[in-house]
Every structure is written in structure tokens, then in C-alpha cells.
Amino acid sequence: MVDAIEAGDCKKAEKLCRRLLREYPDVFDGHDRLALLRKAQGRFQEAAEHYSKVLEMIRKNPEGTDQETVRCVTEQRDQALAKARANG
């Protein structure tokens, strides 16, 4: 999926993200990858929303997630929000 994003094949990347969300709704990887895609597309508000969904999922089920992951996702969300505001 990341390869598709890096190759600029956003359609394929989105399809893979949606499949992850559909097949594994209780795992945050789909939202995390969709956030990466939205950032690559310059759709920062949407990226922030997906990072927020990741954080919400972690809060509901923190088992197996370390604080470094929470810090990193929070930072990514905040950066996306800042870019969304800057692009107004």
C-alpha cells in the first residue's frame, strides 16, 4: 500500500486502505494508512480525522500499544491539522 502511495497510484492505495478497513475494522492500520494517503494527496483535514480515529481506537483498546505509538500518531495528527489550517 505504501508502495502504491509512493508510486503515485492513489486509486490503488485507496482501494487497499478501504479493504483493510472492511476486513479488519477493529485494527487501526486501515485508518493509519488512509491518513498517510490523504497527507500525500494534500488532504490534511481528512488525514487528521483518520489519525484521530486511530487514537480513538487505541484509547478504547490500549492493549498492545505503547506510548511511543500514541505520541507518534498524536504528532502526525497535529501536523496534519496545522497544515490544514495553513492551507485554509
Side-chain angles (χ1 to χ4, degrees):
M1 180 175 325
V2 175
D3 292 340
I5 295 170
E6 289 175 355
D9 191 348
C10 294
K11 193 173 192 173
K12 179 180 179 180
E14 180 150 1
K15 183 178 179 181
L16 293 169
C17 289
R18 297 287 176 198
R19 190 168 113 202
L20 261 179
L21 289 171
R22 187 176 56 256
E23 292 179 11
Y24 305 97
D26 297 330
V27 179
F28 64 76
D29 289 1
H31 287 292
D32 185 59
R33 298 219 171 90
L34 201 48
L36 285 172
L37 174 60
R38 295 301 182 235
K39 273 179 40 179
Q41 294 173 313
R43 295 163 63 176
F44 300 109
Q45 183 63 43
E46 291 175 59
E49 290 167 10
H50 284 286
Y51 284 127
S52 291
K53 288 179 184 180
V54 170
L55 291 169
E56 182 180 323
M57 292 176 82
I58 291 171
R59 283 187 198 106
K60 287 181 180 178
N61 186 13
E63 218 171 295
T65 306
D66 60 22
Q67 287 303 310
E68 179 61 22
T69 299
V70 173
R71 185 197 62 74
C72 183
V73 173
T74 301
E75 184 176 294
Q76 291 295 321
R77 182 204 55 202
D78 294 348
Q79 288 175 1
L81 282 172
K83 287 184 178 183
R85 286 186 198 115
N87 291 339

Tab-separated table of all heavy atoms in Angstrom, residues 34-87:
chain	number	residue	atom	x	y	z
A	34	LEU	N	-4.758	5.192	5.519
A	34	LEU	CA	-5.588	6.165	4.811
A	34	LEU	C	-5.152	7.591	5.163
A	34	LEU	O	-5.156	8.478	4.298
A	34	LEU	CB	-7.064	5.947	5.136
A	34	LEU	CG	-8.089	6.504	4.162
A	34	LEU	CD1	-7.784	6.172	2.715
A	34	LEU	CD2	-9.472	6.000	4.528
A	35	ALA	N	-4.730	7.800	6.392
A	35	ALA	CA	-4.195	9.104	6.790
A	35	ALA	C	-2.931	9.425	5.989
A	35	ALA	O	-2.759	10.552	5.515
A	35	ALA	CB	-3.902	9.129	8.287
A	36	LEU	N	-2.051	8.427	5.825
A	36	LEU	CA	-0.839	8.629	5.019
A	36	LEU	C	-1.194	9.016	3.580
A	36	LEU	O	-0.583	9.917	3.002
A	36	LEU	CB	0.004	7.351	4.993
A	36	LEU	CG	0.784	6.995	6.237
A	36	LEU	CD1	1.405	5.608	6.086
A	36	LEU	CD2	1.857	8.028	6.508
A	37	LEU	N	-2.180	8.332	3.030
A	37	LEU	CA	-2.611	8.631	1.663
A	37	LEU	C	-3.157	10.046	1.567
A	37	LEU	O	-2.807	10.799	0.659
A	37	LEU	CB	-3.677	7.622	1.215
A	37	LEU	CG	-4.325	7.897	-0.142
A	37	LEU	CD1	-3.289	7.901	-1.265
A	37	LEU	CD2	-5.425	6.873	-0.406
A	38	ARG	N	-4.016	10.424	2.496
A	38	ARG	CA	-4.601	11.770	2.467
A	38	ARG	C	-3.514	12.840	2.610
A	38	ARG	O	-3.588	13.886	1.956
A	38	ARG	CB	-5.665	11.933	3.552
A	38	ARG	CG	-6.876	11.042	3.352
A	38	ARG	CD	-7.550	11.314	2.018
A	38	ARG	NE	-8.739	10.496	1.856
A	38	ARG	CZ	-8.951	9.701	0.827
A	38	ARG	NH1	-8.068	9.605	-0.157
A	38	ARG	NH2	-10.057	8.996	0.752
A	39	LYS	N	-2.519	12.595	3.443
A	39	LYS	CA	-1.402	13.546	3.548
A	39	LYS	C	-0.684	13.672	2.210
A	39	LYS	O	-0.376	14.777	1.767
A	39	LYS	CB	-0.408	13.092	4.625
A	39	LYS	CG	-0.747	13.576	5.996
A	39	LYS	CD	0.210	13.120	7.072
A	39	LYS	CE	1.648	13.130	6.699
A	39	LYS	NZ	2.542	12.700	7.778
A	40	ALA	N	-0.418	12.548	1.576
A	40	ALA	CA	0.279	12.558	0.287
A	40	ALA	C	-0.533	13.306	-0.769
A	40	ALA	O	0.032	13.909	-1.676
A	40	ALA	CB	0.555	11.126	-0.170
A	41	GLN	N	-1.862	13.283	-0.635
A	41	GLN	CA	-2.741	13.980	-1.574
A	41	GLN	C	-2.929	15.449	-1.191
A	41	GLN	O	-3.597	16.183	-1.910
A	41	GLN	CB	-4.119	13.293	-1.598
A	41	GLN	CG	-4.101	11.904	-2.163
A	41	GLN	CD	-5.439	11.217	-2.010
A	41	GLN	OE1	-6.057	11.234	-0.957
A	41	GLN	NE2	-5.901	10.594	-3.094
A	42	GLY	N	-2.379	15.859	-0.052
A	42	GLY	CA	-2.560	17.231	0.403
A	42	GLY	C	-3.911	17.462	1.055
A	42	GLY	O	-4.326	18.598	1.244
A	43	ARG	N	-4.588	16.404	1.423
A	43	ARG	CA	-5.914	16.476	2.054
A	43	ARG	C	-5.716	16.325	3.569
A	43	ARG	O	-6.060	15.311	4.166
A	43	ARG	CB	-6.819	15.399	1.462
A	43	ARG	CG	-7.088	15.657	-0.016
A	43	ARG	CD	-7.623	14.477	-0.776
A	43	ARG	NE	-8.925	14.013	-0.294
A	43	ARG	CZ	-9.589	13.029	-0.885
A	43	ARG	NH1	-9.106	12.443	-1.968
A	43	ARG	NH2	-10.749	12.638	-0.398
A	44	PHE	N	-5.156	17.379	4.152
A	44	PHE	CA	-4.672	17.319	5.527
A	44	PHE	C	-5.777	17.208	6.574
A	44	PHE	O	-5.597	16.524	7.587
A	44	PHE	CB	-3.764	18.516	5.815
A	44	PHE	CG	-2.572	18.558	4.914
A	44	PHE	CD1	-2.467	19.518	3.918
A	44	PHE	CD2	-1.564	17.610	5.023
A	44	PHE	CE1	-1.373	19.545	3.067
A	44	PHE	CE2	-0.472	17.626	4.177
A	44	PHE	CZ	-0.377	18.596	3.204
A	45	GLN	N	-6.905	17.853	6.352
A	45	GLN	CA	-8.006	17.743	7.314
A	45	GLN	C	-8.483	16.293	7.403
A	45	GLN	O	-8.702	15.768	8.495
A	45	GLN	CB	-9.161	18.677	6.931
A	45	GLN	CG	-10.301	18.661	7.932
A	45	GLN	CD	-9.896	19.165	9.306
A	45	GLN	OE1	-9.192	20.162	9.427
A	45	GLN	NE2	-10.331	18.474	10.344
A	46	GLU	N	-8.614	15.646	6.260
A	46	GLU	CA	-9.040	14.247	6.242
A	46	GLU	C	-7.983	13.354	6.891
A	46	GLU	O	-8.324	12.399	7.593
A	46	GLU	CB	-9.314	13.789	4.820
A	46	GLU	CG	-10.547	14.431	4.209
A	46	GLU	CD	-10.716	14.044	2.758
A	46	GLU	OE1	-10.836	12.831	2.478
A	46	GLU	OE2	-10.732	14.952	1.907
A	47	ALA	N	-6.721	13.661	6.649
A	47	ALA	CA	-5.649	12.898	7.284
A	47	ALA	C	-5.759	13.006	8.803
A	47	ALA	O	-5.690	11.999	9.512
A	47	ALA	CB	-4.283	13.405	6.818
A	48	ALA	N	-5.981	14.217	9.292
A	48	ALA	CA	-6.109	14.433	10.735
A	48	ALA	C	-7.290	13.653	11.301
A	48	ALA	O	-7.205	13.087	12.401
A	48	ALA	CB	-6.265	15.923	11.027
A	49	GLU	N	-8.375	13.601	10.549
A	49	GLU	CA	-9.554	12.855	11.010
A	49	GLU	C	-9.244	11.362	11.137
A	49	GLU	O	-9.678	10.712	12.092
A	49	GLU	CB	-10.720	13.082	10.054
A	49	GLU	CG	-11.265	14.501	10.127
A	49	GLU	CD	-12.206	14.862	8.998
A	49	GLU	OE1	-12.606	13.953	8.217
A	49	GLU	OE2	-12.553	16.050	8.888
A	50	HIS	N	-8.481	10.829	10.209
A	50	HIS	CA	-8.127	9.408	10.297
A	50	HIS	C	-7.140	9.161	11.439
A	50	HIS	O	-7.251	8.138	12.129
A	50	HIS	CB	-7.597	8.897	8.963
A	50	HIS	CG	-8.684	8.687	7.968
A	50	HIS	ND1	-9.572	7.635	8.032
A	50	HIS	CD2	-9.063	9.426	6.898
A	50	HIS	CE1	-10.439	7.728	7.049
A	50	HIS	NE2	-10.145	8.811	6.332
A	51	TYR	N	-6.205	10.077	11.653
A	51	TYR	CA	-5.310	9.927	12.804
A	51	TYR	C	-6.107	9.993	14.111
A	51	TYR	O	-5.827	9.260	15.056
A	51	TYR	CB	-4.217	10.997	12.804
A	51	TYR	CG	-3.116	10.732	11.810
A	51	TYR	CD1	-2.751	11.703	10.885
A	51	TYR	CD2	-2.425	9.530	11.789
A	51	TYR	CE1	-1.733	11.477	9.967
A	51	TYR	CE2	-1.410	9.287	10.876
A	51	TYR	CZ	-1.072	10.269	9.968
A	51	TYR	OH	-0.071	10.039	9.071
A	52	SER	N	-7.123	10.832	14.148
A	52	SER	CA	-7.983	10.907	15.341
A	52	SER	C	-8.717	9.590	15.555
A	52	SER	O	-8.887	9.145	16.701
A	52	SER	CB	-8.980	12.059	15.216
A	52	SER	OG	-8.299	13.294	15.288
A	53	LYS	N	-9.137	8.948	14.478
A	53	LYS	CA	-9.798	7.647	14.598
A	53	LYS	C	-8.836	6.602	15.140
A	53	LYS	O	-9.217	5.749	15.947
A	53	LYS	CB	-10.373	7.218	13.255
A	53	LYS	CG	-11.594	8.020	12.859
A	53	LYS	CD	-12.138	7.603	11.520
A	53	LYS	CE	-13.304	8.511	11.144
A	53	LYS	NZ	-13.883	8.166	9.854
A	54	VAL	N	-7.581	6.670	14.703
A	54	VAL	CA	-6.566	5.753	15.239
A	54	VAL	C	-6.439	5.956	16.745
A	54	VAL	O	-6.464	4.988	17.521
A	54	VAL	CB	-5.193	5.969	14.554
A	54	VAL	CG1	-4.104	5.195	15.278
A	54	VAL	CG2	-5.248	5.575	13.085
A	55	LEU	N	-6.329	7.206	17.176
A	55	LEU	CA	-6.182	7.494	18.609
A	55	LEU	C	-7.407	7.043	19.399
A	55	LEU	O	-7.277	6.503	20.508
A	55	LEU	CB	-5.914	8.989	18.821
A	55	LEU	CG	-4.562	9.471	18.324
A	55	LEU	CD1	-4.500	10.993	18.337
A	55	LEU	CD2	-3.434	8.869	19.160
A	56	GLU	N	-8.575	7.225	18.825
A	56	GLU	CA	-9.803	6.782	19.483
A	56	GLU	C	-9.811	5.259	19.651
A	56	GLU	O	-10.165	4.734	20.711
A	56	GLU	CB	-11.015	7.226	18.663
A	56	GLU	CG	-12.346	6.863	19.279
A	56	GLU	CD	-13.499	7.338	18.409
A	56	GLU	OE1	-13.399	8.420	17.816
A	56	GLU	OE2	-14.494	6.591	18.332
A	57	MET	N	-9.387	4.552	18.619
A	57	MET	CA	-9.327	3.094	18.693
A	57	MET	C	-8.331	2.640	19.745
A	57	MET	O	-8.591	1.687	20.485
A	57	MET	CB	-8.972	2.510	17.326
A	57	MET	CG	-10.068	2.693	16.290
A	57	MET	SD	-9.607	2.098	14.654
A	57	MET	CE	-9.957	0.337	14.879
A	58	ILE	N	-7.203	3.328	19.835
A	58	ILE	CA	-6.196	2.978	20.835
A	58	ILE	C	-6.742	3.226	22.236
A	58	ILE	O	-6.542	2.415	23.143
A	58	ILE	CB	-4.890	3.767	20.602
A	58	ILE	CG1	-4.208	3.276	19.320
A	58	ILE	CG2	-3.956	3.650	21.806
A	58	ILE	CD1	-3.035	4.128	18.869
A	59	ARG	N	-7.439	4.347	22.424
A	59	ARG	CA	-7.997	4.654	23.748
A	59	ARG	C	-9.017	3.601	24.178
A	59	ARG	O	-9.089	3.238	25.344
A	59	ARG	CB	-8.636	6.038	23.746
A	59	ARG	CG	-7.630	7.144	23.817
A	59	ARG	CD	-8.289	8.520	23.990
A	59	ARG	NE	-7.316	9.532	23.626
A	59	ARG	CZ	-7.332	10.242	22.510
A	59	ARG	NH1	-8.312	10.095	21.643
A	59	ARG	NH2	-6.399	11.127	22.256
A	60	LYS	N	-9.803	3.110	23.224
A	60	LYS	CA	-10.810	2.101	23.534
A	60	LYS	C	-10.184	0.746	23.835
A	60	LYS	O	-10.744	-0.041	24.585
A	60	LYS	CB	-11.811	1.965	22.383
A	60	LYS	CG	-12.762	3.133	22.284
A	60	LYS	CD	-13.744	2.932	21.147
A	60	LYS	CE	-14.698	4.106	21.058
A	60	LYS	NZ	-15.629	3.967	19.923
A	61	ASN	N	-9.053	0.464	23.206
A	61	ASN	CA	-8.381	-0.813	23.395
A	61	ASN	C	-6.865	-0.595	23.391
A	61	ASN	O	-6.205	-0.839	22.375
A	61	ASN	CB	-8.791	-1.805	22.305
A	61	ASN	CG	-8.228	-3.177	22.545
A	61	ASN	OD1	-7.733	-3.482	23.623
A	61	ASN	ND2	-8.299	-4.018	21.532
A	62	PRO	N	-6.307	-0.135	24.514
A	62	PRO	CA	-4.890	0.216	24.557
A	62	PRO	C	-3.936	-0.989	24.614
A	62	PRO	O	-2.727	-0.817	24.430
A	62	PRO	CB	-4.776	1.050	25.830
A	62	PRO	CG	-5.881	0.555	26.702
A	62	PRO	CD	-6.988	0.166	25.761
A	63	GLU	N	-4.477	-2.165	24.808
A	63	GLU	CA	-3.645	-3.354	24.938
A	63	GLU	C	-2.756	-3.550	23.713
A	63	GLU	O	-3.218	-3.522	22.577
A	63	GLU	CB	-4.543	-4.581	25.100
A	63	GLU	CG	-3.987	-5.589	26.066
A	63	GLU	CD	-4.986	-6.669	26.364
A	63	GLU	OE1	-6.031	-6.341	26.958
A	63	GLU	OE2	-4.710	-7.815	25.988
A	64	GLY	N	-1.471	-3.705	23.960
A	64	GLY	CA	-0.528	-3.953	22.884
A	64	GLY	C	-0.010	-2.706	22.182
A	64	GLY	O	0.767	-2.807	21.243
A	65	THR	N	-0.442	-1.531	22.621
A	65	THR	CA	0.023	-0.288	22.010
A	65	THR	C	0.861	0.483	23.015
A	65	THR	O	0.412	0.749	24.124
A	65	THR	CB	-1.167	0.591	21.571
A	65	THR	OG1	-2.024	-0.186	20.737
A	65	THR	CG2	-0.699	1.802	20.808
A	66	ASP	N	2.078	0.821	22.619
A	66	ASP	CA	2.960	1.541	23.543
A	66	ASP	C	2.775	3.056	23.432
A	66	ASP	O	2.149	3.547	22.497
A	66	ASP	CB	4.418	1.152	23.318
A	66	ASP	CG	4.912	1.462	21.911
A	66	ASP	OD1	4.318	2.315	21.233
A	66	ASP	OD2	5.909	0.851	21.507
A	67	GLN	N	3.307	3.760	24.386
A	67	GLN	CA	3.170	5.215	24.432
A	67	GLN	C	3.879	5.901	23.269
A	67	GLN	O	3.455	6.971	22.835
A	67	GLN	CB	3.673	5.760	25.774
A	67	GLN	CG	2.745	5.452	26.922
A	67	GLN	CD	1.352	6.000	26.673
A	67	GLN	OE1	1.171	7.160	26.326
A	67	GLN	NE2	0.337	5.160	26.827
A	68	GLU	N	4.917	5.291	22.751
A	68	GLU	CA	5.625	5.872	21.605
A	68	GLU	C	4.706	5.912	20.380
A	68	GLU	O	4.703	6.891	19.630
A	68	GLU	CB	6.889	5.066	21.297
A	68	GLU	CG	7.670	5.587	20.109
A	68	GLU	CD	8.188	7.004	20.266
A	68	GLU	OE1	8.334	7.485	21.409
A	68	GLU	OE2	8.454	7.644	19.238
A	69	THR	N	3.913	4.880	20.188
A	69	THR	CA	2.962	4.853	19.076
A	69	THR	C	1.921	5.960	19.248
A	69	THR	O	1.614	6.681	18.296
A	69	THR	CB	2.270	3.481	18.986
A	69	THR	OG1	3.267	2.484	18.755
A	69	THR	CG2	1.239	3.449	17.866
A	70	VAL	N	1.401	6.100	20.461
A	70	VAL	CA	0.414	7.146	20.746
A	70	VAL	C	1.027	8.520	20.484
A	70	VAL	O	0.404	9.371	19.845
A	70	VAL	CB	-0.109	7.039	22.190
A	70	VAL	CG1	-0.999	8.221	22.536
A	70	VAL	CG2	-0.850	5.729	22.398
A	71	ARG	N	2.247	8.727	20.939
A	71	ARG	CA	2.926	10.010	20.738
A	71	ARG	C	3.118	10.289	19.255
A	71	ARG	O	2.845	11.391	18.767
A	71	ARG	CB	4.283	10.014	21.457
A	71	ARG	CG	4.978	11.379	21.386
A	71	ARG	CD	6.456	11.303	21.722
A	71	ARG	NE	7.216	10.474	20.793
A	71	ARG	CZ	7.535	10.841	19.534
A	71	ARG	NH1	7.141	11.990	19.051
A	71	ARG	NH2	8.239	10.040	18.769
A	72	CYS	N	3.533	9.294	18.504
A	72	CYS	CA	3.786	9.463	17.075
A	72	CYS	C	2.490	9.782	16.315
A	72	CYS	O	2.463	10.692	15.483
A	72	CYS	CB	4.431	8.197	16.529
A	72	CYS	SG	4.864	8.308	14.791
A	73	VAL	N	1.418	9.051	16.607
A	73	VAL	CA	0.145	9.290	15.926
A	73	VAL	C	-0.398	10.670	16.292
A	73	VAL	O	-0.903	11.398	15.432
A	73	VAL	CB	-0.881	8.176	16.250
A	73	VAL	CG1	-2.251	8.505	15.674
A	73	VAL	CG2	-0.397	6.837	15.721
A	74	THR	N	-0.264	11.043	17.566
A	74	THR	CA	-0.715	12.364	18.002
A	74	THR	C	0.058	13.459	17.273
A	74	THR	O	-0.530	14.443	16.800
A	74	THR	CB	-0.546	12.525	19.526
A	74	THR	OG1	-1.306	11.502	20.179
A	74	THR	CG2	-1.003	13.883	20.008
A	75	GLU	N	1.345	13.274	17.145
A	75	GLU	CA	2.188	14.246	16.434
A	75	GLU	C	1.775	14.343	14.963
A	75	GLU	O	1.670	15.448	14.410
A	75	GLU	CB	3.649	13.817	16.549
A	75	GLU	CG	4.629	14.793	15.948
A	75	GLU	CD	6.061	14.328	16.195
A	75	GLU	OE1	6.480	14.293	17.361
A	75	GLU	OE2	6.732	14.000	15.195
A	76	GLN	N	1.533	13.206	14.330
A	76	GLN	CA	1.113	13.207	12.931
A	76	GLN	C	-0.236	13.925	12.766
A	76	GLN	O	-0.425	14.695	11.831
A	76	GLN	CB	1.008	11.778	12.402
A	76	GLN	CG	2.336	11.082	12.264
A	76	GLN	CD	3.224	11.730	11.229
A	76	GLN	OE1	2.774	12.165	10.175
A	76	GLN	NE2	4.500	11.821	11.525
A	77	ARG	N	-1.146	13.668	13.693
A	77	ARG	CA	-2.459	14.338	13.641
A	77	ARG	C	-2.296	15.849	13.781
A	77	ARG	O	-2.879	16.618	13.015
A	77	ARG	CB	-3.366	13.817	14.748
A	77	ARG	CG	-4.757	14.458	14.707
A	77	ARG	CD	-5.477	14.452	16.015
A	77	ARG	NE	-4.680	15.072	17.055
A	77	ARG	CZ	-4.859	14.844	18.346
A	77	ARG	NH1	-5.790	14.026	18.766
A	77	ARG	NH2	-4.096	15.442	19.240
A	78	ASP	N	-1.495	16.255	14.750
A	78	ASP	CA	-1.296	17.684	14.993
A	78	ASP	C	-0.629	18.375	13.805
A	78	ASP	O	-0.995	19.500	13.449
A	78	ASP	CB	-0.500	17.897	16.276
A	78	ASP	CG	-1.262	17.458	17.522
A	78	ASP	OD1	-2.485	17.197	17.430
A	78	ASP	OD2	-0.622	17.362	18.592
A	79	GLN	N	0.319	17.703	13.176
A	79	GLN	CA	0.970	18.269	11.993
A	79	GLN	C	-0.025	18.405	10.837
A	79	GLN	O	-0.024	19.411	10.128
A	79	GLN	CB	2.148	17.399	11.562
A	79	GLN	CG	3.336	17.488	12.483
A	79	GLN	CD	4.438	16.517	12.101
A	79	GLN	OE1	4.335	15.762	11.130
A	79	GLN	NE2	5.509	16.514	12.875
A	80	ALA	N	-0.864	17.403	10.666
A	80	ALA	CA	-1.872	17.460	9.596
A	80	ALA	C	-2.861	18.590	9.863
A	80	ALA	O	-3.234	19.314	8.933
A	80	ALA	CB	-2.586	16.110	9.477
A	81	LEU	N	-3.275	18.752	11.119
A	81	LEU	CA	-4.191	19.845	11.463
A	81	LEU	C	-3.538	21.203	11.182
A	81	LEU	O	-4.203	22.114	10.655
A	81	LEU	CB	-4.607	19.752	12.930
A	81	LEU	CG	-5.657	18.715	13.268
A	81	LEU	CD1	-5.822	18.598	14.774
A	81	LEU	CD2	-6.980	19.054	12.601
A	82	ALA	N	-2.282	21.341	11.544
A	82	ALA	CA	-1.574	22.605	11.310
A	82	ALA	C	-1.502	22.904	9.805
A	82	ALA	O	-1.717	24.050	9.393
A	82	ALA	CB	-0.174	22.545	11.916
A	83	LYS	N	-1.221	21.899	9.001
A	83	LYS	CA	-1.169	22.110	7.550
A	83	LYS	C	-2.547	22.434	6.988
A	83	LYS	O	-2.680	23.253	6.076
A	83	LYS	CB	-0.563	20.899	6.864
A	83	LYS	CG	0.925	20.785	7.091
A	83	LYS	CD	1.528	19.645	6.338
A	83	LYS	CE	3.033	19.616	6.575
A	83	LYS	NZ	3.691	18.565	5.793
A	84	ALA	N	-3.576	21.792	7.525
A	84	ALA	CA	-4.942	22.077	7.067
A	84	ALA	C	-5.292	23.534	7.375
A	84	ALA	O	-5.879	24.219	6.522
A	84	ALA	CB	-5.937	21.130	7.747
A	85	ARG	N	-4.936	24.000	8.553
A	85	ARG	CA	-5.219	25.409	8.914
A	85	ARG	C	-4.416	26.358	8.042
A	85	ARG	O	-4.931	27.400	7.621
A	85	ARG	CB	-4.885	25.629	10.385
A	85	ARG	CG	-5.893	25.011	11.323
A	85	ARG	CD	-5.607	25.379	12.768
A	85	ARG	NE	-6.301	24.442	13.634
A	85	ARG	CZ	-5.706	23.585	14.458
A	85	ARG	NH1	-4.402	23.544	14.566
A	85	ARG	NH2	-6.414	22.773	15.194
A	86	ALA	N	-3.161	26.029	7.783
A	86	ALA	CA	-2.305	26.894	6.975
A	86	ALA	C	-2.815	26.989	5.534
A	86	ALA	O	-2.668	28.035	4.899
A	86	ALA	CB	-0.873	26.355	6.997
A	87	ASN	N	-3.415	25.908	5.056
A	87	ASN	CA	-3.926	25.900	3.677
A	87	ASN	C	-5.339	26.454	3.588
A	87	ASN	O	-5.871	26.602	2.493
A	87	ASN	CB	-3.880	24.479	3.102
A	87	ASN	CG	-2.457	24.018	2.887
A	87	ASN	OD1	-1.536	24.804	2.781
A	87	ASN	ND2	-2.272	22.712	2.838
